[in-house]
Each structure stands twice: as structure tokens, then as C-alpha cells.
Amino acid sequence: MSRRNIQLDEQQKLRHFIAVEGLKRQMLVDILDSAENFLGLGARKAKKVPLLRGKTVANLFFEASTRTRSTFELAAQRLSADLLSMDIKTSATSKGESLLDMLQNLEAMGVDMFIVRHASSGAARFIAEHVAPHVSVINAGDGCHAHPTQGMLDMFTIRQQKGEFAPLTVAIVGDILHSRVARSQIHALTTLGVTEVRVVAPRTLIPADVERLGVHVHHEMESGIENADVIIMLRLQKERMQGGFLPSEAEYFKRYGLTEARLKLAKPDVTVMHPGPINRGVEIASEVADGHHSVILQQVTNGIAIRMAVMSMTLGRPTSAAGVAK
């Protein structure tokens, strides 16, 4: 980021989580380590810890989401926060109230954190620039810009599977052009020191200047996943495919779909990931999505732990193992 990094406070601790870009490696490692402390909580009889007791979290989802919203809600509840989930379709903003007026009214109700999902890139940063000093903002996906908690839960899953980042070759396959998930993954992988990050897609779905992010571009699926340690398949965002980017979904699967035959080109212990929701038979064959290389459901479970880690870190509460203990 060329602008001031508003994600950090004066002590260089996490205040907002808007993007992976601009954060140092140690901060990313701290998030992963903190998530480790929360991972086993879901299996306990009592699934709550009191770290955010007395805090109020508001979900502001201006864009539809089921999985991300649900995992943020569970994360807030497991941290014992009071949760306010706004129905944006019936909120005052749909009746003409400005976004800033709505934020100020929610702040007046004692909200301490906004979880923001918005179709416009930069929306989460805009909100973070205008909230009161005690309020934190977490980006749950903004336009084509960033989806930082998804990026970090993917890193958490890779660390579980592979242990170290440095020796890895990671291939990200799909709609790189529109994917906020891919951008967050690329920034996280390069910051954590992965040896080679590849992006694999048709020319129409690759940003013109993507190499400046430190990735290698492949337009053929076979070369892109050859000897890969990790393959991350992206969702083909049908709502953004109206500009003649592809001939058809069938043609896309024929050239870029991850099948069992293609999977043999990667390393024998390859890990297959997908941020969901899956379009079976478009991005990935069902045999691969449900196969023993797949960790797709593990990613969903990890999403709660990562979001608990980020929420507790931004509100300045302890996240050590001692803090999570009963």
C-alpha cells in the first residue's frame, strides 16, 4: 500500500483487517498462530470463550453471502460478543439514508466492530477511515479487491497440510481477473515466502499486470499444475461472466477443469483446495472435489478459527492459549 496503513494502530498492532497487502510476515504468522488456539473450540461441549464479552459486532453484508456470513456469526458468538446482523435490504440505506449516517447511528448504539461485505472495491477501507477510534472494521470481501480472511484461512489450511511455506509450489486456477480471493491468496503466499506461485487461466481472465505481484502466468492447465504441491481452484463467477470472457462453461471445464487425469500431473501428495461454493463439473470434477486430496470442508472449519483470531486481535484482547483456556 502506498497510502498510510490504517490497519495498524500506533503500537503497530492490528486495528482493522482490510487486506493482506501491506502486512508483514510476522503479523500473518501471528494470525495463524492465534487461530491454532481456537481450532479445537468447536469440538468442546462448551464452545464459547469470554474474550469479546461486552463487545458488540455488527454484520453489514451489502452483498449476498451464506458461508462467509455464517462463519463470522459463529466466530462472534464463540467469542461471546453481542451480534447484530443487519438486513441491508430493509435497512435505512435502502430508504435513502447515507452509509455514513447509518454507521454513526450504529456507533451510537455501542457497536465496536463492523464486518463489511460490499460489491464495490474499497468499501471496507472507506468505512474504516470514517469510524470512531475505538471501532474496528473487518473486510469480508469488497468487489474485486480483497477477501483477507478467506486468504488467511487458506494459508492456515496449507500450513496444516504442508508444515512450511518456503518449499512449496502453489497453483491458483481460475478467474484471476475478478477474484478478490486470488489477490488475497497471492499477497499472503508471497509474504509467507512460498517459492513459486502460479496463476493459471485463459488470457481473458488474467489481469494485464499480474506478474508484478510475483507470480508466474500459465495459460495451459497441464503446465500450470505440473509438480504443484497445492492446487487452489477458484469459483467461476457466473455473475461476472457477461462480457464474453469464455465461450462456454463446457469449454472451460474441458480446458481448465480439474479432473483425476490432470491431478496426476501434480505431486503425489498434492493438496486440492477451493474457497467455495463449488461449481461441480465446471471448475472441478466431483471425484476430485470429494477425493482424498481435497481439503475443501477443512477450509470451511478453519474459517471460523481464523475469523475468531482476527476479531480478537483487532479488538485488542489476548489470543494466547491461556486466553482461550477454560
Side-chain angles (χ1 to χ4, degrees):
M1 290 183 176
S2 57
R3 293 177 289 178
R4 179 176 66 90
N5 193 341
I6 65 167
Q7 301 192 96
L8 305 177
D9 63 15
E10 292 179 353
Q11 287 75 44
Q12 298 300 295
K13 294 183 178 178
L14 202 62
R15 182 191 166 199
H16 306 295
F17 194 40
I18 308 301
V20 172
E21 183 183 9
L23 297 181
K24 294 182 178 178
R25 180 181 181 279
Q26 188 56 52
M27 180 64 75
L28 303 191
V29 173
D30 288 346
I31 292 172
L32 299 179
D33 290 346
S34 179
E36 289 281 1
N37 295 324
F38 295 115
L39 194 58
L41 196 63
R44 290 185 191 172
K45 187 175 181 180
K47 294 182 171 57
K48 288 191 175 184
V49 291
L51 292 175
L52 295 192
R53 181 174 293 161
K55 299 290 185 180
T56 301
V57 175
N59 271 340
L60 303 181
F61 276 59
F62 296 89
E63 191 180 55
S65 165
T66 300
R67 186 173 325 193
T68 300
R69 181 172 180 153
S70 299
T71 53
F72 267 114
E73 288 177 352
L74 281 172
Q77 291 166 355
R78 289 182 182 178
L79 290 167
S80 302
D82 295 319
L83 180 64
L84 177 63
S85 287
M86 300 286 295
D87 186 346
I88 299 299
K89 290 181 181 177
T90 59
S91 73
T93 53
S94 68
K95 302 173 185 174
E97 184 182 46
S98 76
L99 175 60
L100 292 182
D101 282 342
M102 185 185 77
L103 292 174
Q104 289 171 356
N105 277 279
L106 289 170
E107 285 179 0
M109 297 177 197
V111 169
D112 301 288
M113 172 179 285
F114 293 113
I115 311 296
V116 179
R117 188 182 186 97
H118 202 287
S120 298
S121 299
R125 181 183 173 100
F126 174 81
I127 291 172
E129 289 174 334
H130 290 86
V131 293
H134 71 281
V135 175
S136 293
V137 176
I138 296 179
N139 184 6
D142 63 330
C144 298
H145 170 231
H147 195 345
T149 57
Q150 178 68 46
M152 290 308 299
L153 77 86
D154 293 335
M155 298 308 106
F156 190 63
T157 307
I158 290 173
R159 193 171 78 166
Q160 284 177 328
Q161 293 295 310
K162 303 298 181 183
E164 298 180 73
F165 289 99
L168 301 179
T169 295
V170 180
I172 305 172
V173 183
D175 182 7
I176 309 297
L177 180 65
H178 300 100
S179 178
R180 55 197 176 203
V181 173
R183 282 170 180 73
S184 293
Q185 290 167 340
I186 290 169
H187 285 302
L189 289 166
T190 54
T191 301
L192 290 167
V194 166
T195 296
E196 184 174 355
V197 182
R198 303 172 183 169
V199 293
V200 187
R203 295 182 188 280
T204 52
L205 295 182
I206 294 276
D209 58 348
V210 72
E211 290 93 342
R212 70 177 177 81
L213 300 179
V215 302
H216 299 266
V217 176
H218 291 257
H219 297 299
E220 299 296 331
M221 183 67 167
E222 286 73 15
S223 67
I225 65 171
E226 186 176 12
N227 292 321
D229 299 282
V230 178
I231 302 173
I232 304 175
M233 302 301 295
L234 299 175
R235 182 172 71 91
L236 194 64
Q237 303 181 71
K238 297 180 180 180
E239 66 274 23
R240 291 174 174 148
M241 288 294 115
Q242 306 304 315
F245 293 99
L246 297 171
S248 68
E249 291 180 357
E251 181 69 17
Y252 180 81
F253 183 69
K254 182 179 178 182
R255 292 196 58 194
Y256 294 96
L258 187 59
T259 62
E260 286 188 314
R262 284 191 171 126
L263 197 59
K264 294 176 181 176
L265 297 169
K267 289 186 178 173
D269 63 343
V270 64
T271 295
V272 174
M273 302 170 63
H274 192 302
I278 301 171
N279 292 315
R280 292 173 182 262
V282 177
E283 303 120 16
I284 188 167
S286 285
E287 309 84 77
V288 178
D290 301 328
H292 69 279
H293 292 285
S294 172
V295 294
I296 294 171
L297 292 179
Q298 187 176 333
Q299 289 174 262
V300 178
T301 300
N302 290 342
I304 300 173
I306 280 290
R307 282 154 187 151
M308 290 178 73
V310 171
M311 292 170 79
S312 58
M313 289 174 69
T314 50
L315 283 185
R317 296 301 182 91
T319 56
S320 66
V324 180
K326 10 332 152 189

mmCIF file of all heavy atoms in Angstrom, residues 79-119:
data_model
loop_
_atom_site.group_PDB
_atom_site.id
_atom_site.type_symbol
_atom_site.label_atom_id
_atom_site.label_comp_id
_atom_site.label_asym_id
_atom_site.label_seq_id
_atom_site.Cartn_x
_atom_site.Cartn_y
_atom_site.Cartn_z
ATOM 1 N N LEU A 79 -16.890 -16.127 20.598
ATOM 2 C CA LEU A 79 -16.075 -15.198 21.391
ATOM 3 C C LEU A 79 -16.924 -14.457 22.429
ATOM 4 O O LEU A 79 -16.437 -13.563 23.111
ATOM 5 C CB LEU A 79 -15.384 -14.196 20.461
ATOM 6 C CG LEU A 79 -14.273 -14.776 19.573
ATOM 7 C CD1 LEU A 79 -13.878 -13.785 18.485
ATOM 8 C CD2 LEU A 79 -13.058 -15.162 20.416
ATOM 9 N N SER A 80 -18.227 -14.803 22.500
ATOM 10 C CA SER A 80 -19.168 -14.232 23.477
ATOM 11 C C SER A 80 -19.516 -12.779 23.195
ATOM 12 O O SER A 80 -19.928 -12.044 24.113
ATOM 13 C CB SER A 80 -18.617 -14.366 24.911
ATOM 14 O OG SER A 80 -18.361 -15.712 25.228
ATOM 15 N N ALA A 81 -19.364 -12.336 21.952
ATOM 16 C CA ALA A 81 -19.768 -10.977 21.590
ATOM 17 C C ALA A 81 -21.284 -10.920 21.391
ATOM 18 O O ALA A 81 -21.921 -11.926 21.078
ATOM 19 C CB ALA A 81 -19.061 -10.542 20.311
ATOM 20 N N ASP A 82 -21.844 -9.718 21.571
ATOM 21 C CA ASP A 82 -23.234 -9.484 21.167
ATOM 22 C C ASP A 82 -23.229 -9.248 19.663
ATOM 23 O O ASP A 82 -22.410 -8.475 19.148
ATOM 24 C CB ASP A 82 -23.801 -8.265 21.894
ATOM 25 C CG ASP A 82 -23.887 -8.496 23.395
ATOM 26 O OD1 ASP A 82 -24.268 -9.614 23.796
ATOM 27 O OD2 ASP A 82 -23.558 -7.570 24.155
ATOM 28 N N LEU A 83 -24.161 -9.895 18.944
ATOM 29 C CA LEU A 83 -24.117 -9.887 17.479
ATOM 30 C C LEU A 83 -25.346 -9.195 16.912
ATOM 31 O O LEU A 83 -26.481 -9.515 17.281
ATOM 32 C CB LEU A 83 -24.033 -11.326 16.951
ATOM 33 C CG LEU A 83 -23.985 -11.509 15.448
ATOM 34 C CD1 LEU A 83 -22.716 -10.887 14.870
ATOM 35 C CD2 LEU A 83 -24.049 -12.993 15.095
ATOM 36 N N LEU A 84 -25.102 -8.256 16.003
ATOM 37 C CA LEU A 84 -26.183 -7.559 15.308
ATOM 38 C C LEU A 84 -26.022 -7.828 13.813
ATOM 39 O O LEU A 84 -25.057 -7.362 13.196
ATOM 40 C CB LEU A 84 -26.099 -6.052 15.586
ATOM 41 C CG LEU A 84 -27.118 -5.148 14.891
ATOM 42 C CD1 LEU A 84 -28.530 -5.488 15.341
ATOM 43 C CD2 LEU A 84 -26.810 -3.683 15.179
ATOM 44 N N SER A 85 -26.938 -8.620 13.227
ATOM 45 C CA SER A 85 -26.873 -8.907 11.797
ATOM 46 C C SER A 85 -27.901 -8.048 11.084
ATOM 47 O O SER A 85 -29.119 -8.224 11.269
ATOM 48 C CB SER A 85 -27.140 -10.396 11.535
ATOM 49 O OG SER A 85 -26.024 -11.158 11.934
ATOM 50 N N MET A 86 -27.422 -7.117 10.284
ATOM 51 C CA MET A 86 -28.298 -6.156 9.601
ATOM 52 C C MET A 86 -28.913 -6.786 8.357
ATOM 53 O O MET A 86 -28.241 -7.488 7.601
ATOM 54 C CB MET A 86 -27.492 -4.926 9.181
ATOM 55 C CG MET A 86 -26.830 -4.186 10.325
ATOM 56 S SD MET A 86 -28.015 -3.245 11.283
ATOM 57 C CE MET A 86 -28.540 -2.044 10.083
ATOM 58 N N ASP A 87 -30.181 -6.529 8.141
ATOM 59 C CA ASP A 87 -30.821 -6.887 6.874
ATOM 60 C C ASP A 87 -30.762 -5.652 5.985
ATOM 61 O O ASP A 87 -31.596 -4.752 6.090
ATOM 62 C CB ASP A 87 -32.266 -7.321 7.112
ATOM 63 C CG ASP A 87 -32.912 -7.845 5.831
ATOM 64 O OD1 ASP A 87 -32.335 -7.624 4.750
ATOM 65 O OD2 ASP A 87 -33.982 -8.468 5.917
ATOM 66 N N ILE A 88 -29.753 -5.606 5.145
ATOM 67 C CA ILE A 88 -29.497 -4.406 4.359
ATOM 68 C C ILE A 88 -30.669 -4.084 3.427
ATOM 69 O O ILE A 88 -30.966 -2.928 3.152
ATOM 70 C CB ILE A 88 -28.200 -4.566 3.549
ATOM 71 C CG1 ILE A 88 -27.021 -4.772 4.505
ATOM 72 C CG2 ILE A 88 -27.941 -3.344 2.679
ATOM 73 C CD1 ILE A 88 -26.776 -3.625 5.456
ATOM 74 N N LYS A 89 -31.363 -5.127 2.955
ATOM 75 C CA LYS A 89 -32.474 -4.883 2.020
ATOM 76 C C LYS A 89 -33.582 -4.052 2.645
ATOM 77 O O LYS A 89 -34.315 -3.354 1.963
ATOM 78 C CB LYS A 89 -33.039 -6.219 1.533
ATOM 79 C CG LYS A 89 -32.099 -6.969 0.610
ATOM 80 C CD LYS A 89 -32.738 -8.280 0.151
ATOM 81 C CE LYS A 89 -31.788 -9.035 -0.764
ATOM 82 N NZ LYS A 89 -32.359 -10.349 -1.179
ATOM 83 N N THR A 90 -33.712 -4.134 3.956
ATOM 84 C CA THR A 90 -34.762 -3.363 4.629
ATOM 85 C C THR A 90 -34.183 -2.290 5.531
ATOM 86 O O THR A 90 -34.907 -1.687 6.313
ATOM 87 C CB THR A 90 -35.650 -4.296 5.469
ATOM 88 O OG1 THR A 90 -34.830 -4.964 6.446
ATOM 89 C CG2 THR A 90 -36.323 -5.335 4.596
ATOM 90 N N SER A 91 -32.869 -2.065 5.436
ATOM 91 C CA SER A 91 -32.251 -1.075 6.302
ATOM 92 C C SER A 91 -32.528 0.329 5.786
ATOM 93 O O SER A 91 -33.032 0.530 4.677
ATOM 94 C CB SER A 91 -30.743 -1.301 6.377
ATOM 95 O OG SER A 91 -30.137 -0.909 5.172
ATOM 96 N N ALA A 92 -32.115 1.297 6.594
ATOM 97 C CA ALA A 92 -32.369 2.692 6.221
ATOM 98 C C ALA A 92 -31.606 3.111 4.969
ATOM 99 O O ALA A 92 -32.022 4.025 4.267
ATOM 100 C CB ALA A 92 -31.997 3.600 7.400
ATOM 101 N N THR A 93 -30.470 2.456 4.673
ATOM 102 C CA THR A 93 -29.727 2.844 3.465
ATOM 103 C C THR A 93 -30.541 2.569 2.219
ATOM 104 O O THR A 93 -30.418 3.265 1.213
ATOM 105 C CB THR A 93 -28.388 2.085 3.355
ATOM 106 O OG1 THR A 93 -28.633 0.690 3.457
ATOM 107 C CG2 THR A 93 -27.426 2.515 4.446
ATOM 108 N N SER A 94 -31.401 1.529 2.273
ATOM 109 C CA SER A 94 -32.248 1.249 1.117
ATOM 110 C C SER A 94 -33.372 2.276 1.007
ATOM 111 O O SER A 94 -34.074 2.327 0.014
ATOM 112 C CB SER A 94 -32.836 -0.169 1.218
ATOM 113 O OG SER A 94 -33.748 -0.243 2.291
ATOM 114 N N LYS A 95 -33.543 3.083 2.060
ATOM 115 C CA LYS A 95 -34.586 4.118 2.034
ATOM 116 C C LYS A 95 -33.990 5.497 1.826
ATOM 117 O O LYS A 95 -34.672 6.507 2.037
ATOM 118 C CB LYS A 95 -35.361 4.074 3.350
ATOM 119 C CG LYS A 95 -36.008 2.712 3.639
ATOM 120 C CD LYS A 95 -36.613 2.673 5.025
ATOM 121 C CE LYS A 95 -37.154 1.283 5.348
ATOM 122 N NZ LYS A 95 -37.618 1.166 6.740
ATOM 123 N N GLY A 96 -32.703 5.551 1.497
ATOM 124 C CA GLY A 96 -32.092 6.828 1.172
ATOM 125 C C GLY A 96 -31.104 7.350 2.189
ATOM 126 O O GLY A 96 -30.417 8.341 1.932
ATOM 127 N N GLU A 97 -30.996 6.706 3.356
ATOM 128 C CA GLU A 97 -30.022 7.171 4.340
ATOM 129 C C GLU A 97 -28.610 6.902 3.823
ATOM 130 O O GLU A 97 -28.359 5.868 3.214
ATOM 131 C CB GLU A 97 -30.222 6.434 5.661
ATOM 132 C CG GLU A 97 -29.302 6.913 6.784
ATOM 133 C CD GLU A 97 -29.498 6.116 8.068
ATOM 134 O OE1 GLU A 97 -29.556 4.872 7.972
ATOM 135 O OE2 GLU A 97 -29.610 6.727 9.137
ATOM 136 N N SER A 98 -27.686 7.833 4.066
ATOM 137 C CA SER A 98 -26.321 7.617 3.593
ATOM 138 C C SER A 98 -25.632 6.550 4.427
ATOM 139 O O SER A 98 -26.023 6.274 5.573
ATOM 140 C CB SER A 98 -25.520 8.924 3.668
ATOM 141 O OG SER A 98 -25.166 9.191 5.012
ATOM 142 N N LEU A 99 -24.577 5.973 3.849
ATOM 143 C CA LEU A 99 -23.816 4.937 4.548
ATOM 144 C C LEU A 99 -23.223 5.505 5.837
ATOM 145 O O LEU A 99 -23.258 4.859 6.893
ATOM 146 C CB LEU A 99 -22.721 4.400 3.626
ATOM 147 C CG LEU A 99 -21.759 3.386 4.237
ATOM 148 C CD1 LEU A 99 -22.504 2.149 4.720
ATOM 149 C CD2 LEU A 99 -20.691 2.980 3.222
ATOM 150 N N LEU A 100 -22.677 6.717 5.767
ATOM 151 C CA LEU A 100 -22.048 7.298 6.952
ATOM 152 C C LEU A 100 -23.073 7.585 8.045
ATOM 153 O O LEU A 100 -22.798 7.403 9.233
ATOM 154 C CB LEU A 100 -21.291 8.571 6.574
ATOM 155 C CG LEU A 100 -20.050 8.352 5.694
ATOM 156 C CD1 LEU A 100 -19.349 9.675 5.424
ATOM 157 C CD2 LEU A 100 -19.087 7.373 6.351
ATOM 158 N N ASP A 101 -24.269 8.021 7.659
ATOM 159 C CA ASP A 101 -25.318 8.236 8.658
ATOM 160 C C ASP A 101 -25.666 6.926 9.357
ATOM 161 O O ASP A 101 -25.864 6.878 10.579
ATOM 162 C CB ASP A 101 -26.567 8.815 7.999
ATOM 163 C CG ASP A 101 -26.433 10.304 7.711
ATOM 164 O OD1 ASP A 101 -25.551 10.943 8.309
ATOM 165 O OD2 ASP A 101 -27.200 10.804 6.878
ATOM 166 N N MET A 102 -25.727 5.843 8.571
ATOM 167 C CA MET A 102 -26.042 4.548 9.155
ATOM 168 C C MET A 102 -24.945 4.116 10.133
ATOM 169 O O MET A 102 -25.228 3.626 11.234
ATOM 170 C CB MET A 102 -26.199 3.494 8.061
ATOM 171 C CG MET A 102 -26.644 2.131 8.602
ATOM 172 S SD MET A 102 -26.702 0.854 7.351
ATOM 173 C CE MET A 102 -24.975 0.489 7.173
ATOM 174 N N LEU A 103 -23.682 4.298 9.738
ATOM 175 C CA LEU A 103 -22.564 3.928 10.610
ATOM 176 C C LEU A 103 -22.604 4.694 11.919
ATOM 177 O O LEU A 103 -22.413 4.136 13.005
ATOM 178 C CB LEU A 103 -21.235 4.194 9.900
ATOM 179 C CG LEU A 103 -20.900 3.323 8.695
ATOM 180 C CD1 LEU A 103 -19.626 3.809 8.032
ATOM 181 C CD2 LEU A 103 -20.763 1.868 9.108
ATOM 182 N N GLN A 104 -22.858 6.009 11.821
ATOM 183 C CA GLN A 104 -22.873 6.829 13.035
ATOM 184 C C GLN A 104 -24.003 6.423 13.968
ATOM 185 O O GLN A 104 -23.860 6.443 15.189
ATOM 186 C CB GLN A 104 -22.986 8.308 12.646
ATOM 187 C CG GLN A 104 -21.712 8.842 12.011
ATOM 188 C CD GLN A 104 -21.865 10.232 11.422
ATOM 189 O OE1 GLN A 104 -22.962 10.790 11.421
ATOM 190 N NE2 GLN A 104 -20.775 10.788 10.914
ATOM 191 N N ASN A 105 -25.140 6.036 13.386
ATOM 192 C CA ASN A 105 -26.248 5.572 14.227
ATOM 193 C C ASN A 105 -25.907 4.262 14.921
ATOM 194 O O ASN A 105 -26.218 4.062 16.096
ATOM 195 C CB ASN A 105 -27.513 5.415 13.378
ATOM 196 C CG ASN A 105 -28.252 6.737 13.204
ATOM 197 O OD1 ASN A 105 -28.989 7.167 14.082
ATOM 198 N ND2 ASN A 105 -28.023 7.397 12.082
ATOM 199 N N LEU A 106 -25.234 3.365 14.205
ATOM 200 C CA LEU A 106 -24.837 2.095 14.819
ATOM 201 C C LEU A 106 -23.776 2.321 15.893
ATOM 202 O O LEU A 106 -23.792 1.656 16.941
ATOM 203 C CB LEU A 106 -24.319 1.134 13.744
ATOM 204 C CG LEU A 106 -25.392 0.585 12.797
ATOM 205 C CD1 LEU A 106 -24.751 -0.155 11.620
ATOM 206 C CD2 LEU A 106 -26.346 -0.348 13.549
ATOM 207 N N GLU A 107 -22.862 3.242 15.639
ATOM 208 C CA GLU A 107 -21.860 3.569 16.665
ATOM 209 C C GLU A 107 -22.540 4.123 17.917
ATOM 210 O O GLU A 107 -22.136 3.836 19.048
ATOM 211 C CB GLU A 107 -20.855 4.575 16.115
ATOM 212 C CG GLU A 107 -19.859 3.967 15.134
ATOM 213 C CD GLU A 107 -18.886 4.984 14.582
ATOM 214 O OE1 GLU A 107 -18.978 6.170 14.968
ATOM 215 O OE2 GLU A 107 -18.046 4.613 13.757
ATOM 216 N N ALA A 108 -23.594 4.921 17.693
ATOM 217 C CA ALA A 108 -24.319 5.479 18.839
ATOM 218 C C ALA A 108 -25.019 4.392 19.651
ATOM 219 O O ALA A 108 -25.349 4.589 20.829
ATOM 220 C CB ALA A 108 -25.340 6.506 18.342
ATOM 221 N N MET A 109 -25.242 3.236 19.025
ATOM 222 C CA MET A 109 -25.840 2.098 19.738
ATOM 223 C C MET A 109 -24.779 1.262 20.453
ATOM 224 O O MET A 109 -25.105 0.274 21.099
ATOM 225 C CB MET A 109 -26.598 1.191 18.744
ATOM 226 C CG MET A 109 -27.757 1.871 18.059
ATOM 227 S SD MET A 109 -28.519 0.753 16.837
ATOM 228 C CE MET A 109 -29.458 1.911 15.836
ATOM 229 N N GLY A 110 -23.517 1.654 20.304
ATOM 230 C CA GLY A 110 -22.450 0.962 21.026
ATOM 231 C C GLY A 110 -21.762 -0.141 20.255
ATOM 232 O O GLY A 110 -21.113 -1.009 20.856
ATOM 233 N N VAL A 111 -21.851 -0.128 18.911
ATOM 234 C CA VAL A 111 -21.167 -1.150 18.115
ATOM 235 C C VAL A 111 -19.656 -0.937 18.178
ATOM 236 O O VAL A 111 -19.167 0.184 18.063
ATOM 237 C CB VAL A 111 -21.657 -1.110 16.649
ATOM 238 C CG1 VAL A 111 -20.775 -1.983 15.758
ATOM 239 C CG2 VAL A 111 -23.105 -1.572 16.574
ATOM 240 N N ASP A 112 -18.910 -2.030 18.370
ATOM 241 C CA ASP A 112 -17.447 -1.969 18.478
ATOM 242 C C ASP A 112 -16.741 -2.479 17.221
ATOM 243 O O ASP A 112 -15.547 -2.251 17.054
ATOM 244 C CB ASP A 112 -16.974 -2.823 19.656
ATOM 245 C CG ASP A 112 -17.573 -2.357 20.968
ATOM 246 O OD1 ASP A 112 -17.157 -1.292 21.442
ATOM 247 O OD2 ASP A 112 -18.461 -3.055 21.493
ATOM 248 N N MET A 113 -17.458 -3.227 16.388
ATOM 249 C CA MET A 113 -16.813 -3.809 15.195
ATOM 250 C C MET A 113 -17.830 -3.943 14.073
ATOM 251 O O MET A 113 -18.975 -4.357 14.310
ATOM 252 C CB MET A 113 -16.234 -5.197 15.526
ATOM 253 C CG MET A 113 -15.709 -5.968 14.306
ATOM 254 S SD MET A 113 -15.023 -7.575 14.763
ATOM 255 C CE MET A 113 -13.474 -7.059 15.504
ATOM 256 N N PHE A 114 -17.390 -3.578 12.852
ATOM 257 C CA PHE A 114 -18.204 -3.803 11.671
ATOM 258 C C PHE A 114 -17.549 -4.876 10.807
ATOM 259 O O PHE A 114 -16.362 -4.782 10.487
ATOM 260 C CB PHE A 114 -18.337 -2.517 10.841
ATOM 261 C CG PHE A 114 -19.124 -1.428 11.510
ATOM 262 C CD1 PHE A 114 -18.507 -0.240 11.904
ATOM 263 C CD2 PHE A 114 -20.472 -1.588 11.761
ATOM 264 C CE1 PHE A 114 -19.223 0.758 12.525
ATOM 265 C CE2 PHE A 114 -21.203 -0.589 12.392
ATOM 266 C CZ PHE A 114 -20.579 0.588 12.778
ATOM 267 N N ILE A 115 -18.326 -5.905 10.442
ATOM 268 C CA ILE A 115 -17.896 -6.883 9.447
ATOM 269 C C ILE A 115 -18.562 -6.467 8.140
ATOM 270 O O ILE A 115 -19.789 -6.449 8.054
ATOM 271 C CB ILE A 115 -18.340 -8.317 9.818
ATOM 272 C CG1 ILE A 115 -17.979 -8.643 11.273
ATOM 273 C CG2 ILE A 115 -17.743 -9.329 8.850
ATOM 274 C CD1 ILE A 115 -16.518 -8.671 11.572
ATOM 275 N N VAL A 116 -17.762 -6.145 7.116
ATOM 276 C CA VAL A 116 -18.309 -5.499 5.919
ATOM 277 C C VAL A 116 -18.079 -6.350 4.681
ATOM 278 O O VAL A 116 -16.938 -6.745 4.381
ATOM 279 C CB VAL A 116 -17.651 -4.121 5.697
ATOM 280 C CG1 VAL A 116 -18.219 -3.466 4.431
ATOM 281 C CG2 VAL A 116 -17.855 -3.229 6.903
ATOM 282 N N ARG A 117 -19.144 -6.641 3.957
ATOM 283 C CA ARG A 117 -19.048 -7.250 2.638
ATOM 284 C C ARG A 117 -19.778 -6.339 1.658
ATOM 285 O O ARG A 117 -20.932 -5.946 1.920
ATOM 286 C CB ARG A 117 -19.675 -8.640 2.620
ATOM 287 C CG ARG A 117 -19.435 -9.413 1.316
ATOM 288 C CD ARG A 117 -20.132 -10.757 1.398
ATOM 289 N NE ARG A 117 -19.856 -11.620 0.277
ATOM 290 C CZ ARG A 117 -18.929 -12.580 0.255
ATOM 291 N NH1 ARG A 117 -18.154 -12.755 1.308
ATOM 292 N NH2 ARG A 117 -18.778 -13.351 -0.790
ATOM 293 N N HIS A 118 -19.104 -5.985 0.573
ATOM 294 C CA HIS A 118 -19.668 -4.976 -0.335
ATOM 295 C C HIS A 118 -19.216 -5.272 -1.755
ATOM 296 O O HIS A 118 -18.100 -5.764 -1.977
ATOM 297 C CB HIS A 118 -19.196 -3.581 0.100
ATOM 298 C CG HIS A 118 -20.069 -2.462 -0.370
ATOM 299 N ND1 HIS A 118 -20.107 -2.050 -1.688
ATOM 300 C CD2 HIS A 118 -20.949 -1.677 0.299
ATOM 301 C CE1 HIS A 118 -20.975 -1.055 -1.804
ATOM 302 N NE2 HIS A 118 -21.500 -0.807 -0.620
ATOM 303 N N ALA A 119 -20.064 -4.957 -2.725
ATOM 304 C CA ALA A 119 -19.742 -5.218 -4.128
ATOM 305 C C ALA A 119 -18.716 -4.242 -4.693
ATOM 306 O O ALA A 119 -18.157 -4.490 -5.766
ATOM 307 C CB ALA A 119 -21.014 -5.163 -4.971
#
